[in-house]
Amino acid sequence: MKRELGIARCGLACCLCSENVACAGCDSGECPDKDWCENRKCSISKKIGHCYECDEKCTKGLLSKIKPYAFTEFVRRYGEDRLLDCLERNEKNGIVYHREGINGDYDDFDDVEALIEYIKTGHR
């Protein structure tokens, strides 16, 4: 885990991403998705660093997917440090962020609350 990379604007965990060796992040100016990323554009236009700082409950862009939406909601409730602590603990306990391509153990959910509980406890 590269904790210093933290959480992306949309809620994805840059700190655990398998692409974080080559990716410099949302704000680097080098992001290959910067021209189409709706969450990046929206948060920049609102002058906020992350979607979790916004008061709106939206499902734009990547927030239409369970994982980034649940991670964003987790940070709203408990803070980014607690999310990072949980992700780090879970990784040490064998939970994998990216197992096949960009899918891993946090992707097999269809309920936001169930995923938030999994993040908190590391148990299904």
Side-chain angles (χ1 to χ4, degrees), residues 47-79:
K47 296 181 170 66
I48 57 176
H50 298 85
C51 293
Y52 63 73
E53 297 173 47
C54 184
D55 293 332
E56 294 177 39
K57 298 273 186 173
C58 86
T59 56
K60 289 188 222 172
L62 286 172
L63 293 177
S64 66
K65 298 181 180 198
I66 294 282
K67 182 169 63 176
Y69 187 84
F71 280 34
T72 295
E73 195 57 34
F74 188 101
V75 175
R76 276 194 185 118
R77 296 177 192 178
Y78 308 110

Side-chain angles (χ1 to χ4, degrees), residues 26 29-41 44:
C26 304
E30 300 171 20
C31 176
D33 303 329
K34 69 181 177 187
D35 293 330
W36 67 263
C37 181
E38 194 169 351
N39 303 105
R40 182 180 183 277
K41 287 179 182 181
I44 288 172

